[in-house]
Amino acid sequence: MGNFLSSASSSDVGGEEEVVVGHDESGLLFQVLEYCDYATRSRCVFLSRGYHRALTSDAAFRWHLNCMHIECGIFSPRQLLDSPSSGGETWKSIFMNLSKRRNLWLVSPTSKRKTTKTTNRDESEEKFHITVCARFKPLNLKTQQYHEPKFRSTLPFHQRLSLIKLSHGIKSNSEALKILRQEGGWFKEKWEEEEKVELGSMMDDDDDDEATRKNNNSVSCGISAIDSQAGRVMVVDPTKGIREFEFDHVHTDETEQAKVYTSSVSRLVCDFINGYTATCLVYGMTGSGKTHTMFGPTLDDTFWSSAESGYMQGIVPRACSDIFDILQYRKDNLNLTMEAKLSVSYIEIFGNDINDLLKGGNLCGQNRASAHRYVLSGAADEPVRNNADVIHILQKGETQKRKAATAMNERSSRAHSIFILSLSQKCLDSGITVNSKLFLTDLGGNEQTKKSQVATSDKEIQAELTRVRNSVGYVKNDRMREAVNINLGLMALKSCVDALKSGNKAAYVPYADSKLTMMLSSGLGGNSKTAVIICANQEEEHLSETIAALKFGQSCRSITTTARTDTTGMLDNLIHKLDEKIKECEENIMKNERWEIREERRTIDMFSEVELKKTTVLVGAEEDRMRLSDLLRRKAELTGTAFDNNSGGTRKNEKFAFGDGHTYGMDLTS
């Protein structure tokens, strides 16, 4: 297994962080336990208080996770997430969760599984909430200069009182109301009438005082605060006042690409290696940084050869690099003999068309109705062996993607794209095969045509569009159609999220309204672990789109789904072997079984006569028929089908007879 106490570099993806564990400085206890099995390590906790302290420390559970990876093939995360909403995540909680799956690769497909239906469901299913991260794009340099806010909002009464008590350090509502009365705004006319009665004279307010009161009772709209430590975003909504959005992770405009990947997708890669299907999608308005987050600033050869490619690359190349490193580590260090095959497909969804970007942008499948099944079946997959193959495929697909310049984004994606990784792992020791998929989705940005100006006659934009396609009228119509198709797909996605958010299992979820939702159905409410990254702008002019994106993220966060390990390969392998044995038995029966005519003499008492009766029976393959009966029964138990025991003969006096021979007391087993 290797010495965990003295090895392991934190920079190694497949390896583990260097940790010193043990009740003494030498860590002798853990060196001894490396040669023990899981059950023995568990019982050592109860030997003494010293052992209990040593074996239940956080570093010890990190060591247990490394042992479980080497011995059982269950991959564990490399580091803990620093999210405030992770529920106090520790190595112990991760170990308790992953230990349920330690027998994933260790159960032989030829042995009968003695787990109940409930236990089997617990091992292969896990309920979880969709992880949602919010990332904000840096402010545009032109908008960072001070200017008078375009929108102001009058806060709701309870929010205004709370702010007054907070700013003045008071706790009484009556005192806060007195201050609010002085500021004006709320119940202003009624208070003025009371003042007129008390003073007995007319009170004329100066225009400057009126403007001051108006500003005191209203606030400028926009992003008020981004708290990455608490995972919260404070927004001043023009219609609802101050609103708070809470997410699993919140990234400011200074967050590096590596941190975004670690907080959102690194855990999906871990689940992907452990046999789960996983989905990550980025959502936001056009020009909010979705493609930059998913792929990086560019994919040309100049970028990959530059020094900045290491920290500027996006989620897709980072995930592929991690997967290759993990698979290589598992091949070199696991006690199990694993065989892994990785393949990728790259598709683009434009309206009801699903195009294969790796095959010249041609339509997938033979027709639109079967296009998504064509992709999910693996027909569009291409095998990859290293990072160079992935970069080549990304560059090849990038040349086929729909891109164009608009008023809001010079490199705008004009359709939804999905990069799919398919992994097939087989344990040669047990014969178990587990298949998993990782969907990395770059959604097209929702846009208002009056802002993106796809139908405008502005000379500068039309000149840019002419440079791209050399046809002003055609480009204008094409951009408008692209915007409509993107927004229709996102509307269908929102409808599915709203239906799933209700929590009513009987509610209809309109996955079939769009090809996009059909492709993402497993990730949203089915058999997948999912992470959503909300990309948003901080500019005041885009506030409505930012609030809509944050609301979508909160809706996704309230969805609970059930992820299952795809062990159909294991069952298919088991049933395939049973079918081979059944076929072998049938061939032996066809070869050895024969009809025999047997005579039976019976005495009829009434007439004192002897009767000779001839019976035709099957003999020669009794053992094969008994074996066939057992194989058919086992297959019926696995498939849940009815089982007819007639093929196995009839038991009588612990012996078997076939046909009608048992009715005459024949012994056909001799």
Side-chain angles (χ1 to χ4, degrees):
M1 178 173 61
N3 191 353
F4 172 71
L5 298 176
S6 60
S7 63
S9 171
S10 60
S11 62
D12 183 7
V13 173
E16 315 297 347
E17 297 177 358
E18 186 173 358
V19 182
V20 177
V21 292
H23 66 290
D24 54 10
E25 295 182 357
S26 64
L28 179 61
L29 171 63
F30 291 87
Q31 293 180 11
V32 173
L33 290 180
E34 282 188 356
Y35 299 94
C36 300
D37 57 10
Y38 176 84
T40 303
R41 297 193 194 110
S42 302
R43 289 193 291 266
C44 285
V45 178
F46 306 102
L47 292 179
S48 67
R49 292 183 178 180
Y51 284 4
H52 184 273
R53 287 193 300 269
L55 293 173
T56 56
S57 64
D58 210 39
F61 280 109
R62 186 70 187 94
W63 177 83
H64 281 297
L65 286 169
N66 180 70
C67 293
M68 187 164 59
H69 183 207
I70 301 298
E71 298 171 356
C72 305
I74 304 301
F75 182 72
S76 59
R78 290 170 290 159
Q79 60 186 24
L80 298 176
L81 297 180
D82 56 357
S83 169
S85 58
S86 59
E89 185 180 56
T90 61
W91 291 120
K92 178 181 178 180
S93 62
I94 296 177
F95 174 78
M96 298 303 293
N97 184 33
L98 293 179
S99 61
K100 302 175 184 178
R101 306 176 50 76
R102 64 183 181 274
N103 293 326
L104 176 64
W105 302 103
L106 304 181
V107 179
S108 175
T110 57
S111 62
K112 184 177 180 181
R113 305 186 71 175
K114 298 182 180 180
T115 55
T116 61
K117 186 176 181 180
T118 303
T119 305
N120 190 27
R121 182 171 60 251
D122 292 339
E123 291 179 352
S124 60
E125 297 183 2
E126 180 181 351
K127 290 187 176 181
F128 74 103
H129 293 276
I130 293 179
T131 302
V132 181
C133 306
R135 188 186 193 188
F136 289 88
K137 184 180 178 181
L139 283 168
N140 193 335
L141 295 177
K142 296 181 180 179
T143 62
Q144 286 185 354
Q145 301 176 357
Y146 175 78
H147 61 85
E148 190 67 23
K150 296 181 180 180
F151 306 102
R152 301 189 68 89
S153 173
T154 300
L155 297 180
F157 183 69
H158 67 284
Q159 291 184 358
R160 187 60 185 162
L161 281 182
S162 299
L163 288 177
I164 291 175
K165 291 192 291 184
L166 181 64
S167 60
H168 291 79
I170 59 178
K171 298 182 179 180
S172 174
N173 286 332
S174 59
E175 295 180 6
L177 285 171
K178 291 180 181 179
I179 298 175
L180 183 61
R181 179 176 180 176
Q182 296 175 0
E183 295 178 351
W186 285 97
F187 312 113
K188 176 182 176 182
E189 296 179 357
K190 184 177 181 179
W191 286 335
E192 286 182 349
E193 292 178 0
E194 293 178 355
E195 291 178 354
K196 291 176 184 178
V197 173
E198 293 176 359
L199 299 177
S201 61
M202 297 294 295
M203 298 182 62
D204 297 328
D205 296 330
D206 295 333
D207 294 340
D208 294 341
D209 295 338
E210 183 69 22
T212 302
R213 291 184 178 183
K214 183 176 180 180
N215 290 333
N216 288 337
N217 289 279
S218 63
V219 293
S220 59
C221 299
I223 303 296
S224 177
I226 302 175
D227 190 349
S228 58
Q229 297 297 326
R232 297 176 181 176
V233 180
M234 303 293 292
V235 180
V236 180
D237 191 332
T239 59
K240 297 184 179 181
I242 299 177
R243 302 183 63 179
E244 181 184 76
F245 296 92
E246 184 176 359
F247 302 102
D248 297 279
H249 302 273
V250 173
H251 302 294
T252 64
D253 51 10
E254 298 179 353
T255 304
E256 296 180 352
Q257 294 274 67
K259 188 173 182 180
V260 176
Y261 167 78
T262 301
S263 62
S264 58
V265 182
S266 62
R267 289 301 174 86
L268 296 183
V269 170
C270 175
D271 297 325
F272 175 65
I273 297 295
N274 288 332
Y276 285 111
T277 291
T279 302
C280 174
L281 56 92
V282 289
Y283 180 93
M285 67 174 296
T286 181
S288 59
K290 298 182 302 300
T291 303
H292 177 84
T293 300
M294 190 60 72
F295 297 98
T298 183
L299 292 173
D300 54 20
D301 293 331
T302 305
F303 169 74
W304 292 111
S305 60
S306 63
E308 65 177 8
S309 63
Y311 65 91
M312 289 295 292
Q313 58 182 315
I315 287 175
V316 172
R318 289 180 187 273
C320 294
S321 178
D322 270 7
I323 290 171
F324 283 119
D325 291 342
I326 294 170
L327 294 179
Q328 184 62 41
Y329 178 86
R330 290 163 65 86
K331 181 180 179 181
D332 297 338
N333 295 276
L334 260 59
N335 293 344
L336 305 174
T337 305
M338 303 293 295
E339 181 182 84
K341 296 180 180 179
L342 183 66
S343 58
V344 301
S345 58
Y346 199 4
I347 64 170
E348 183 181 65
I349 301 177
F350 179 72
N352 288 325
D353 295 335
I354 300 180
N355 303 320
D356 191 344
L357 297 178
L358 304 182
K359 296 180 180 178
N362 297 325
L363 292 176
C364 295
Q366 297 181 352
N367 52 61
R368 292 178 177 177
S370 62
H372 70 284
R373 291 192 294 270
Y374 175 87
V375 175
L376 295 177
S377 66
D381 290 354
E382 291 193 9
V384 290
R385 295 170 295 179
N386 47 47
N387 289 324
D389 292 345
V390 174
I391 295 174
H392 174 70
I393 285 179
L394 288 175
Q395 293 175 340
K396 183 179 179 181
E398 190 72 12
T399 59
Q400 300 296 329
K401 290 177 66 174
R402 296 174 182 264
K403 293 179 294 183
T406 66
M408 298 183 66
N409 190 0
E410 295 180 356
R411 195 168 62 101
S412 176
S413 299
R414 310 307 297 167
H416 311 291
S417 60
I418 305 179
F419 189 81
I420 306 174
L421 294 100
S422 301
L423 178 62
S424 177
Q425 299 182 86
K426 182 177 182 180
C427 179
L428 301 181
D429 300 324
S430 61
I432 296 176
T433 301
V434 176
N435 301 316
S436 56
K437 289 182 179 292
L438 177 60
F439 296 84
L440 301 175
T441 307
D442 179 18
L443 296 175
N446 61 315
E447 61 182 78
Q448 297 184 19
T449 55
K450 64 180 181 181
K451 290 185 177 181
S452 59
Q453 300 180 12
V454 294
T456 186
S457 59
D458 186 80
K459 294 182 179 180
E460 294 182 359
I461 297 177
Q462 288 299 329
E464 175 67 17
L465 296 176
T466 304
R467 183 184 67 81
V468 177
R469 294 288 294 274
N470 294 324
S471 177
V472 176
Y474 176 75
V475 171
K476 179 179 64 177
N477 295 333
D478 198 15
R479 297 291 87 77
M480 178 65 73
R481 186 169 64 253
E482 290 166 353
V484 170
N485 284 326
I486 290 174
N487 289 337
L488 286 176
L490 295 177
M491 287 177 61
L493 181 61
K494 290 181 180 179
S495 300
C496 294
V497 170
D498 291 339
L500 293 168
K501 185 181 65 174
S502 64
N504 184 8
K505 295 183 179 181
Y508 171 71
V509 182
Y511 290 125
D513 287 357
S514 170
K515 289 295 184 181
L516 174 65
T517 52
M518 293 176 71
M519 289 295 300
L520 299 178
S521 59
S522 62
L524 291 174
N527 176 24
S528 179
K529 290 194 173 185
T530 306
V532 177
I533 302 176
I534 302 298
C535 294
N537 289 317
Q538 301 184 58
E539 286 81 7
E540 181 185 356
E541 58 180 324
H542 304 314
L543 181 60
S544 59
E545 291 89 348
T546 298
I547 293 177
L550 296 177
K551 289 173 61 178
F552 176 81
Q554 276 203 332
S555 299
C556 293
R557 195 164 181 259
S558 63
I559 298 175
T560 302
T561 63
T562 301
R564 306 176 184 86
T565 306
D566 184 7
T567 56
T568 54
M570 178 183 65
L571 293 177
D572 289 342
N573 188 23
L574 176 56
I575 294 176
H576 177 69
K577 289 189 176 182
L578 287 177
D579 288 337
E580 290 180 348
K581 293 180 180 179
I582 290 173
K583 184 178 180 181
E584 181 183 357
C585 288
E586 291 176 344
E587 290 176 352
N588 291 336
I589 291 174
M590 292 283 294
K591 180 179 179 180
N592 300 323
E593 198 173 55
R594 64 186 185 279
W595 289 99
E596 282 191 359
I597 299 177
R598 299 192 176 183
E599 297 181 352
E600 180 184 4
R601 297 179 180 273
R602 294 191 303 173
T603 303
I604 304 177
D605 296 338
M606 183 180 298
F607 303 101
S608 299
E609 295 181 358
V610 177
E611 180 183 25
L612 181 62
K613 183 178 181 180
K614 294 183 179 180
T615 305
T616 304
V617 295
L618 283 170
V619 296
E622 291 81 0
E623 292 183 358
D624 289 325
R625 281 201 171 271
M626 292 171 58
R627 185 184 177 194
L628 176 62
S629 176
D630 183 68
L631 292 173
L632 292 175
R633 177 186 56 78
R634 291 170 57 187
K635 181 179 179 180
E637 290 176 355
L638 290 173
T639 58
T641 56
F643 173 64
D644 185 5
N645 196 37
N646 289 336
S647 61
T650 306
R651 183 184 297 272
K652 182 178 177 61
N653 297 328
E654 300 302 325
K655 296 182 180 180
F656 283 83
F658 298 88
D660 296 331
H662 64 282
T663 58
Y664 304 104
M666 294 183 179
D667 182 8
L668 303 183
T669 61
S670 57

